[in-house]
Every structure is written in C-alpha cells, then in structure tokens.
Amino acid sequence: MRSSVGPRHARRPLPTLLRGIYLPRSMDAGAFAMTTYGIPLLVLATTNSAALTGLAFALEWIPRLGAFAVAGALVDRHGTTAVMRRASAARAVVVLAAALVLPTQTGGLGATVTVMLLAASTGILTEFSYIAAETAGGVASREAGDHAHRVQSVLLGIDQVATLAGPALAGLLLQWAGSAGMLAVIAAFSLLASALAPRQYGREKSTAPQPVLRGLRTGWSTLRSLPALGWLVTGLTVSNLAIGLLQAAAPVIVVKQLGHSTADVGLIWSAAAVASLIAVALCRRAIDRFGLWPVGAVSATIAASACLAVSLTHTYATYLALIAVLMAGEGGMTVVLRTLRSRLIPAQVFGATLSLTILLLLIPFPLAGVLVAAVPPALLGHVITVCAALQALGLFTAFARLRTAPGLRPSFA
C-alpha cells in the first residue's frame, strides 16, 4: 500500500510552461484581441457613426483603468488561477448574452445601448484576466533567471499571434456571420481560458495581501525606486497616445475614408502582428548580444519614424505597411519593458506594481477614443501628426535618460 507524504496539493507536479503559462495565455490573448479590435467594428457596423465608434473605444478602456487597481490587489490576494478563471467565465456570459440580444434589435437606441454596454463590460473583465495572465508570466520569468527575456519573448509572441489572427477573424466573422458569430467565437476563447487557467499552486500568491489603495501606493513607491523602469514607462505612456489614436481611428479611416471593408481593418492589424512577431524574434537574439538599451533605442526610432509617416499617406497599401512597421518597433520596445519589469519588480509586490505600470501605459487609450469621437474625420490626419511628434519626443527623452542607466548594456543579458 502506497503511503502518503505531505498534503495532497503538495504532491501535485507543477505544470510545465506550455500547460501552465503559454496555453492559457493563448486562449485569453485570443479573446483579448478579438474583443479589443472587434467591438469597435461591431459598433461601426451597428450605428454607422464615427463618433460612436470612437466613444466605444473609450468605453472599452475607461473601465479597464479602474479595474487594474482592483485586479492587481485580487491577484496578489487570491492568485492567478481564481482571478483568471472567474473573469474569463464572466466575459463568456456577457458576450453570449449580447449575441442573443443583438439579432432581436433592428437598430436604434436599443442596439446602440447594447453595444456600448458590451464595450464597457468586456473591457473590465478582459483586464482582470490579463492581469492574472501577466502575473503568471512574471512568475515564470523570475524563475527563468537570466533567460527571463526568452520567456517574455514567447509571451509577447503569443500576444502577437493573437493580434495577427484576432482582428482578421473578428472582421471576417462580422462580415460573413454577423455579430452573433463573432461574439460566439469570443465566448469560446473565454471559456477555454477559464478552463485552462494557470495553476501555479501557491507560487503567485502574496503573503501579505493589501487593500486596493495601499496596493496603488505600494506600486507607486516601487516604481519611484526603480528609475530605469520609471523612465521607460513614461516614454511608452506618451507613445501609447499615438498608438491608441491609430487603433481607435482605424475603422473610421479604412471604412469611411479609404472605402474598404471591416475585414480589411482586421487585415491591417494582422499584418502588423506578423511584423511584430518578426521583430520579437530578432529582439530576443539581439538582447542576448547587445543588451536591452540598444535594442530598445533602435525599436523606438523605428516606431516613431513610421508613426510620423502614417499621417502623410492616403492609400490603403501604404497605410497597412506603415502600421506594420510601427507595430514592429512597438513589439521590440515591449520585449524590453517586460524583461525589465519582470527582473526589477520584487516578487511580493509584483501584482500591485504591474497593475500600476499597466494603468499608466493605458491611460492614453480612452483619451484617444475621445479624440476620435470629438474630431471630424477630415481632421484626423492632423491630430495623428501632432501625436506622432509627441511620441517621438517622449521616446527620445526616455531613452536618452536610460542611456547611462546600469544594467541595460550587454552585461545585463
């Protein structure tokens, strides 16, 4: 008769990276991408209004900002498994309810209210599952030690594959299967993410969970004590205003100004994801050889140059190519950010500090949606030019301050 040694949960083998991190992250990233890019397309198809499309983009992101503080505290208190499982399941319920309700509405106020509520509620739930998945990735990165950037590059690759397939799939489903078809697929990804939620038995839980406001103060204190991470977050926050504006304006520019379909909007972000995947693969090897700062500085230069050129184009093919180049540069900077973040933030306050950094990075996105809602479509090009100039200035300042920061040269890798 086999004897037991220790409690039952202690005998469970820890999951592999594939099962415990990469697979659930893939399912959640698929739902994330389809929600982020598909809901504004659904709003445009339902309301035929550029202003409401921009407002829906803002409504997707404004609740997310409030959710981050709560999500970080909940992850620190209850762990990634519980938070991701419940948030993903709730998202599935919400989108399935919308899939049942929308076909019964023929437009007007009812349909508008439904899609706007859908944008806000999925935004909140998506960020809860994202924080849980990102925290699980942070645990895996810390355990990888000097190879943390390799784990982060795989996670970023998963996100970019989802961004490759998600927008294109959302646009195609919306065009050929209607709102119910698109929302049903989002629900399927959400249910799979809930079922496969990362099981890191006790590793990710904080020993001293904090209230939300105290968690924000802890995150802010931690960020201030890490100047290299602080400057990088500052530069990327300014950059995200331009990125968010291009995301929010894409349905209006492509459908209304360039005369293409919703599927073509998704194709733009899919092509951008391919470029970003290539950039991530190159950056993974480049960081090993050159260190974090050179890779980040080159990526920032590429992103800023492409963004400045976007406002000058008037053809779909050129617009697609420039967005792809821009997101390739963004992908390189994201590898640098995630690697630096996973290495510098102490494990016991990782959830709270992660929440604060992502909160800062996402503040520009609802502002971008408000700009698209408020600015006439004919003037969007001028607004993009101004935001691109701010992006270039912000990234230059950030990487200039990081040039002499310790630990960002080849010896760090």
Side-chain angles (χ1 to χ4, degrees), residues 23-94:
L23 190 57
R25 177 63 167 261
S26 299
M27 298 302 102
D28 186 66
F32 186 105
M34 289 191 67
T35 300
T36 300
Y37 296 98
I39 298 301
L41 287 175
L42 176 61
V43 172
L44 183 63
T46 302
T47 66
N48 198 34
S49 169
L52 288 176
T53 301
L55 182 59
F57 188 85
L59 285 176
E60 271 193 306
W61 288 102
I62 290 174
R64 296 183 184 191
L65 302 183
F68 271 117
V70 180
L74 287 178
V75 167
D76 283 341
R77 181 175 298 139
H78 301 292
T80 60
T81 303
V83 174
M84 186 171 181
R85 181 170 290 159
R86 293 169 187 172
S88 299
R91 180 175 56 205
V93 171
V94 168

Side-chain angles (χ1 to χ4, degrees), residues 366-393:
L367 177 58
V370 171
L371 285 174
V372 173
V375 174
L379 298 179
L380 279 176
H382 300 294
V383 178
I384 292 173
T385 301
V386 172
C387 290
L390 290 175
Q391 177 196 43
L393 180 61

Side-chain angles (χ1 to χ4, degrees), residues 116-131:
M116 291 300 182
L117 287 175
L118 178 65
S121 57
T122 54
I124 294 174
L125 295 170
T126 294
E127 293 315 309
F128 273 90
S129 65
Y130 175 76
I131 285 290

Side-chain angles (χ1 to χ4, degrees), residues 43-227:
V43 172
L44 183 63
T46 302
T47 66
N48 198 34
S49 169
L52 288 176
T53 301
L55 182 59
F57 188 85
L59 285 176
E60 271 193 306
W61 288 102
I62 290 174
R64 296 183 184 191
L65 302 183
F68 271 117
V70 180
L74 287 178
V75 167
D76 283 341
R77 181 175 298 139
H78 301 292
T80 60
T81 303
V83 174
M84 186 171 181
R85 181 170 290 159
R86 293 169 187 172
S88 299
R91 180 175 56 205
V93 171
V94 168
V95 296
L96 282 175
L100 295 174
V101 170
L102 276 176
T104 67
Q105 299 173 326
T106 58
L109 180 61
T112 300
V113 170
T114 298
V115 292
M116 291 300 182
L117 287 175
L118 178 65
S121 57
T122 54
I124 294 174
L125 295 170
T126 294
E127 293 315 309
F128 273 90
S129 65
Y130 175 76
I131 285 290
E134 190 74 352
T135 301
V139 172
S141 295
R142 287 194 300 273
E143 293 176 350
D146 289 341
H147 299 298
H149 66 279
R150 298 183 181 181
V151 175
Q152 287 298 326
S153 66
V154 173
L155 293 175
L156 185 56
I158 289 171
D159 291 344
Q160 294 306 320
V161 168
T163 305
L164 188 160
L169 183 59
L172 288 171
L173 287 171
L174 186 58
Q175 186 173 356
W176 299 106
S179 60
M182 185 189 77
L183 294 174
V185 174
I186 294 175
F189 277 118
S190 299
L191 290 173
L192 286 171
S194 178
L196 298 171
R199 298 176 179 87
Q200 295 178 295
Y201 302 114
R203 289 185 296 173
E204 79 282 4
K205 292 185 180 182
S206 171
T207 57
Q210 305 181 71
V212 173
L213 292 179
R214 186 181 300 173
L216 283 176
R217 289 195 296 268
T218 299
W220 180 251
S221 298
T222 304
L223 188 61
R224 290 183 61 187
S225 69
L226 302 171

